[in-house]
């Protein structure tokens, strides 16, 4: 079905996507009635993302992988416009980098004045810098170029006025003689000047940078005239994590290139300050971007100057609480009023940090615009904006960002001279070029260890099972309220911290923990020290098993809605969706254990409170009605750009030429062709029909060596699992698929493993969350190899789960968790057996990473466990089912029947005996040939969800399928 140029008509809709599982009355009453349960369209696009040779209906060039003849890569595909009114993912499988962190670092620096200030009498100008830093992650198994199909680079807003406007006050602004005594900043007047980039006509040119969008590039410079020069858009290797910061400016004195970049006191050029890869430790990375806060301060008022008998200069900075606090910044450019559903004109309440990134419109780059307090011009920078706009309300106004910070004297150097009065005023000294780091704030993805520094509010532990139910891979933004439950469930956390920590000194370097460019932890200090994590798959060819679709994002597809938040949640989706989907059955903590739907009003928009157990429902829709035949169009060679059409594959699969390699046509070698007595040409023609062929594939395929999951034989389970030993896998070598020959039993999260090493088994004793100094191995790996003893333990525990939960009535029953409280309601049978076998003990033994959140989850049991659950390398159900899923069944189709007969005389004396044995096999044909084999007994109406009867004959309703005698033999007495 997925090899067609578009989905069959039954699976497409003009006004909404048709879900993998339609709603039924038992699913509750969702706010958005037309939102489907996952999406056939998304499965179809994801399965075909490898195929750049066929352009499907409506697609642009970002829809498919880009092949260079050897290895694939991807452009960014973000189907959302900046105004969020035309979000539409019908035509591509969306993908873009994941924001791991956005921080603004706040610093203080001085500039030496040659002329003494007339009013304040000093020689020191005080400046404040607010420096943005981004950490982007390419989570995919292919390289990602930060560029869209039309050539636009990936960019972001970064101005402080857009996210959460800053305001400041101090006790030295109007210094006449002594400083203000008993200064209380809580009662002082705050102003966002000079933080506002909108000129208040105070005569200063070096105001905060006002951006109309900035892209992320390999290199970036500012020329001597203040014009930006951006290099090539960045390309992040598979799984790579990279820091981005402003271009370094060499001339950091007053009148530098940053000041020169502004026209009429305002920056007016789109992408003039493009971000570059890497954080530079030189003063030019920070100091040149400082903004003038006050001039003419006297040295004697600096903390540590030795003259503090007359007072100490102090300043405070806080976030604006309402729009009424703002003096110069127009309301229309404060993003947390534009995108926050909680905001109302009556309250004007602020307090959310809003992140917007996306593909920039190439026509806007370098374009000038008018930026004044009167117009508040907001240029249309993005042609496509990030689908999930981070919108986190964490009560940021509860305390100042900086509270009465003293200006330090040690940033003003060598202030020695004969005249004490001039020394007090700072006549002799010189300003240090570097800044004093005083605070930072921003958002970051949650990490494994309890927050030590930087967490806000302090003392709260909002960790979650990040890889499972709070995964940033599902772009889970849209969390506008500050409820405890919302904070627990969100993949992101908001951080506000003063540099004067009670724990240990906070520096920029220990926050970023980087080597300048390519090393950053997945989280904060003390977290995972890695520079590469491949966690999401873009397949190199169509999967050959249902569990091979586990990496497809279970978004609910395309649909129309009047709710802006509901539209956004089509992308920023978590609702019962774990970090990996099909083939897994992890319970979601937001849902009661016995429910598939629940409404939790934890967010501003009502439709954001709808939660379904998508994983369970999609498994229920697929596992007993569908299978992956592996009869599909495919690459003609490993890593090549050629394509074998579906008809070619079918001809190879059903060829009757004895000299041909029939198995070459069927990727799954356990599927054996059965022509049903027809010519191979007729079978090929039937199966290659558009919109119809997929309905008939199953009757021409049989399974060799199927295995009944209701088996309670440990030896049988061992034999099935050990049969995978030494199988050949594909892995990525520098982006090119290569064959891995493994002597053990190996599993991979992806169709092509991200490495030939398992970080759990082969990386030595460094530890699962530590970087390894050998280049590409500095990562987690999705590859897992199991020893024979681990396989035997898994088989033993699998038998225990069958006895505990069985018999399984169908495959969905086997794959899914039970809809009940207790251990069977937390995960599926296979996952429970895996976890009982200590296969993931490397993760579980990190005791401080095993959590029990206390946030009022409806299902507390689902929230318990390792924060690394379902991370790459943590073996999960779908890893095993991707290999075995096609041969597993819940019933036997082949039976051995023995019969006994005897001849006796009238007195009952046995004259002769006979024993026979027949092997019979259930076939595909009905007893009454009036019904075709593919006619089901019942079928689901794809639009209503109703289970409907089909018109089978009375005979077939009573007797079903024919049994065929496969073999027959007479037995000797010795064999009985």
């Amino acid at each position: 079905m997925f090899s067609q140029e578009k989905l069959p008509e039954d699976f497409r809709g003009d006004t909404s996507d048709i879900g993998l599982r339609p709603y039924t009355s038992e699913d509750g009453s969702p706010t958005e009635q037309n939102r489907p349960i996952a999406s056939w369209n998304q499965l179809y696009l994801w399965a075909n993302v490898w195929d750049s040779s066929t352009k499907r209906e409506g697609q642009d060039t970002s829809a498919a992988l880009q092949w260079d003849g050897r290895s694939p890569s991807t452009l960014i595909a973000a189907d959302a416009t900046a105004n969020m009114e035309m979000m539409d993912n019908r035509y591509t499988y969306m993908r873009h980098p994941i924001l791991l962190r956005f921080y603004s670092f706040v610093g203080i620096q001085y500039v030496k004045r040659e002329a003494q200030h007339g009013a304040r009498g000093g020689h020191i100008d005080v400046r404040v810098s607010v420096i943005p830093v981004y950490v982007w992650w390419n989570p995919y198994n292919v390289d990602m170029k930060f560029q869209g199909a039309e050539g636009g680079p990936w960019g972001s807003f970064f101005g402080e006025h857009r996210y959460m406007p800053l305001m400041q006050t101090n006790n030295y602004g109007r210094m006449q003689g002594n400083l203000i005594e008993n200064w209380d900043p809580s009662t002082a007047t705050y102003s966002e000047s000079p933080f506002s980039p909108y000129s208040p006509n105070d005569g200063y040119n070096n105001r905060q940078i006002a951006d109309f969008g900035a892209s992320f590039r390999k290199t970036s410079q500012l020329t001597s005239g203040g014009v930006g020069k951006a290099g090539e858009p960045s390309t992040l290797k598979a799984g790579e994590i990279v820091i981005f910061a402003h271009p370094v400016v060499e001339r950091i004195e007053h009148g530098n290139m940053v000041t020169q970049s502004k026209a009429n006191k305002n920056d007016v050029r789109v992408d003039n300050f493009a971000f570059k890869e890497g954080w530079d430790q030189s003063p030019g990375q920070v100091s040149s971007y400082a903004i003038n806060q006050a001039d003419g301060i006297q040295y004697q008022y600096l903390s540590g100057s030795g003259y503090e008998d007359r007072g100490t200069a102090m300043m405070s900075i806080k976030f604006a609480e309402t729009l009424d606090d703002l003096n110069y910044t127009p309301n229309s450019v404060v993003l947390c009023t534009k995108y926050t559903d909680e905001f109302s004109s009556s309250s004007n309440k602020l307090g959310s940090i809003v992140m917007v990134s996306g593909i920039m419109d190439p026509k806007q780059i370098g374009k000038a615009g008018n930026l004044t307090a009167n117009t508040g011009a907001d240029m249309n920078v993005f042609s496509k904006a990030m689908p999930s706009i981070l919108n986190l309300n964490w009560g940021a106004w509860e305390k100042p960002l900086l509270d009465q910070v003293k200006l330090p004297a040690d940033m003003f150097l060598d202030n020695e001279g004969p005249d004490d009065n001039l020394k007090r005023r700072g006549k002799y000294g010189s300003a240090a070029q570097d800044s004093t780091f005083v605070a930072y704030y921003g958002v970051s993805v949650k990490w494994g260890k309890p927050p030590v520094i930087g967490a806000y509010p302090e003392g709260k532990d909002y960790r979650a099972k990040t890889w499972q139910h709070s995964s940033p891979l599902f772009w889970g933004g849209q969390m506008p309220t500050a409820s405890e439950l919302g904070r627990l469930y969100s993949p992101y956390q908001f951080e506000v911290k003063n540099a004067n920590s009670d724990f240990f000194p906070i520096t920029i370097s220990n926050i970023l923990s980087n080597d300048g460019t390519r090393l950053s932890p997945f989280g904060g200090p003390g977290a995972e020290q890695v520079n590469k994590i491949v966690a999401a798959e873009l397949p190199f060819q169509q999967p050959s098993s249902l569990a091979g679709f586990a990496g497809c994002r279970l978004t609910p597809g395309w649909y129309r809605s009047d709710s802006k938040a509901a539209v956004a949640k089509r992308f920023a989706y978590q609702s019962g969706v774990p970090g990996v989907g099909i083939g897994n059955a992890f319970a979601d903590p937001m849902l009661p254990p016995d429910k598939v739907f629940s409404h939790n009003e934890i967010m501003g928009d009502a439709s954001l409170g709808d939660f379904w157990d998508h994983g369970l429902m999609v498994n229920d829709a697929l596992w007993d009605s569908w299978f992956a035949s592996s009869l599909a169009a495919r690459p003609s060679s490993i890593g090549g750009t050629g394509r074998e059409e579906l008809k070619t594959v079918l001809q190879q699969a059903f060829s009757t030429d004895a000299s041909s390699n029939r198995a070459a046509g069927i990727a799954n070698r356990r599927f054996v062709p059965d022509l049903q007595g027809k010519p191979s040409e007729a079978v090929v023609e039937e199966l290659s029909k558009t919109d119809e062929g997929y309905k008939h594939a199953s009757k021409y395929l049989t399974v060799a060596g199927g295995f009944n999951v209701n088996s309670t034989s440990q030896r049988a389970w061992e034999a099935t699992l050990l049969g995978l030993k030494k199988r050949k896998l594909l892995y990525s070598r520098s982006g090119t698929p290569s064959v891995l020959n493994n002597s053990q039993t190996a599993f991979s999260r992806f169709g092509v493993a991200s490495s030939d090493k398992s970080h759990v088994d082969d990386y030595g004793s460094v530890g699962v969350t530590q970087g390894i100094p050998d280049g590409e191995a500095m990562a987690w790996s999705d590859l897992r190899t199991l020893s024979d003893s681990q396989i035997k333990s898994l088989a033993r525990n699998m038998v225990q789960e069958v006895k505990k939960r069985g018999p399984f009535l169908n495959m969905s029953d086997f794959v899914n968790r039970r809809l009940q409280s207790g251990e069977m309601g937390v995960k599926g049978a296979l996952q429970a057996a895996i976890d009982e076998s200590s296969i993931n003990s490397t993760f579980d033994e990190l005791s401080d990473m095993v959590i029990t959140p206390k946030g009022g989850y409806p299902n507390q049991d689902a929230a318990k466990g390792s924060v690394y659950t379902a991370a790459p390398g943590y073996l999960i159900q779908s890893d095993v089912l991707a290999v075995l899923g096609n041969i597993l069944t819940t019933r036997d189709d082949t039976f051995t029947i023995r019969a006994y007969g005897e001849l006796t005389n009238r007195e009952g004396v046995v004259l002769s005996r006979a024993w026979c044995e027949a092997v019979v096999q259930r076939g595909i044909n009905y007893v009454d040939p009036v019904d075709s084999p593919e006619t089901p007994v019942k079928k689901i109406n794809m639009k209503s969800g109703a289970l409907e009867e089909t018109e089978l004959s009375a005979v077939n309703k009573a007797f079903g399928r024919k049994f065929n005698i496969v073999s027959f033999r007479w037995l000797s007495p010795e064999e009985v």
Side-chain angles (χ1 to χ4, degrees), residues 244-255:
F244 289 89
H246 272 328
V248 176
V249 178
E250 295 179 0
R251 295 177 58 199
I252 63 174
E253 69 274 12
H254 185 74

Side-chain angles (χ1 to χ4, degrees), residues 34-90:
N34 64 340
R35 179 162 49 200
I37 297 296
S39 166
W40 283 107
N41 177 263
Q42 287 292 284
L43 282 185
Y44 167 74
L45 292 170
W46 182 81
N48 287 291
V49 74
W50 63 274
D51 185 10
S52 59
S53 65
T54 299
K55 187 175 181 180
R56 291 169 173 82
E57 180 185 23
Q59 288 184 340
D60 62 24
T61 54
S62 69
L65 298 182
Q66 316 290 304
W67 291 82
D68 62 5
R70 187 178 63 91
S71 60
S73 62
T74 183
L75 297 173
I76 289 174
D79 275 348
T81 60
N83 61 11
M84 293 182 65
E85 292 174 359
M86 295 292 290
M87 283 182 162
D88 191 344
N89 62 345
R90 282 178 291 176

Side-chain angles (χ1 to χ4, degrees), residues 333-503:
V333 300
V334 181
L335 292 181
C336 52
T337 69
K338 185 175 182 179
Y339 291 111
T340 303
D341 291 294
E342 183 191 28
F343 174 86
S344 68
S345 57
S346 59
S347 70
N348 286 336
K349 183 179 179 181
L350 302 180
S352 292
I353 182 165
V354 178
M355 278 293 309
V356 180
S357 297
I359 297 173
M360 299 178 71
D361 185 348
K363 298 187 294 294
Q364 295 289 345
I365 292 178
K367 189 175 180 180
N370 183 25
L371 183 64
T372 69
N374 294 327
T375 64
D378 193 359
M379 300 178 71
N380 185 18
V381 173
F382 300 117
S383 58
K384 293 181 178 180
M386 186 176 184
S388 126
I389 295 170
L390 297 181
N391 189 348
L392 298 172
N393 182 334
W394 291 63
W397 55 84
E398 293 177 11
K399 66 177 183 179
L401 172 65
L402 294 176
D403 191 9
Q404 302 185 64
V405 170
K406 298 177 181 180
L407 302 190
D410 57 9
M411 291 293 291
F412 199 72
L413 311 174
D414 304 323
N415 186 38
E416 295 295 337
D419 189 322
D420 188 65
N421 181 54
L422 293 179
K423 181 179 178 181
R424 283 174 176 265
R425 298 176 185 275
K427 172 67 175 177
Y428 302 117
S430 61
Q433 287 192 334
D434 213 345
S435 290
T436 294
F437 168 56
V438 291
Y440 77 97
Y441 70 93
V443 296
S444 70
V445 165
K446 290 176 179 174
W447 55 79
K449 290 193 176 182
V452 176
I453 66 169
Y456 186 88
E458 290 188 31
K460 296 286 187 179
D461 184 355
Y462 289 117
R463 288 182 300 162
K465 292 161 107 171
T466 304
W467 296 96
Q468 181 181 323
H469 64 251
S470 295
S471 173
L473 295 171
F474 288 86
W475 310 335
Q478 299 299 322
M479 295 280 183
T481 66
S483 71
E484 297 295 290
L485 197 58
R487 289 172 176 171
L488 282 166
Y489 198 66
S490 172
Y492 289 90
Q493 59 191 15
F494 182 55
E495 299 178 52
V496 176
K497 193 66 181 181
N498 192 303
N500 299 320
S501 170
D502 296 332
F503 299 101

Side-chain angles (χ1 to χ4, degrees), residues 124-176:
I124 304 171
D125 289 353
V126 178
R127 293 187 173 185
V128 177
S129 58
V130 184
I131 304 301
V133 172
Y134 290 82
V135 180
W136 288 104
W137 172 38
N138 169 20
Y140 293 100
N141 57 328
V142 297
D143 296 356
M144 171 177 280
K145 187 173 184 180
F146 277 22
Q147 183 174 301
E150 305 302 320
W154 179 257
S156 180
F157 290 128
F158 63 82
E160 307 312 315
H161 63 293
R162 293 188 180 276
Y163 299 143
M164 297 170 67
L166 296 179
M167 306 172 67
Q168 62 86 29
T169 188
N170 59 68
N171 67 342
Y172 50 77
R174 296 187 177 277
M175 181 174 54
Q176 301 285 350

Side-chain angles (χ1 to χ4, degrees), residues 669-690:
R669 301 301 175 87
R670 300 291 285 272
F671 288 165
V672 179
D674 182 353
L675 295 175
Q676 296 290 312
K678 297 182 180 179
S680 62
E681 294 81 3
V683 173
V684 170
E685 199 60 36
E686 181 181 0
L687 297 186
S688 59
K689 287 181 180 178
T690 302

Side-chain angles (χ1 to χ4, degrees), residues 44 87 156 214 279 341 347 363 398 401 499 519 588 603 656-657 677 702 738 822 845 975:
Y44 167 74
M87 283 182 162
S156 180
W279 171 264
D341 291 294
S347 70
K363 298 187 294 294
E398 293 177 11
L401 172 65
L519 177 62
D588 190 271
M603 301 168 226
T656 54
D657 183 352
T702 58
S738 304
E845 287 168 3
E975 293 179 276

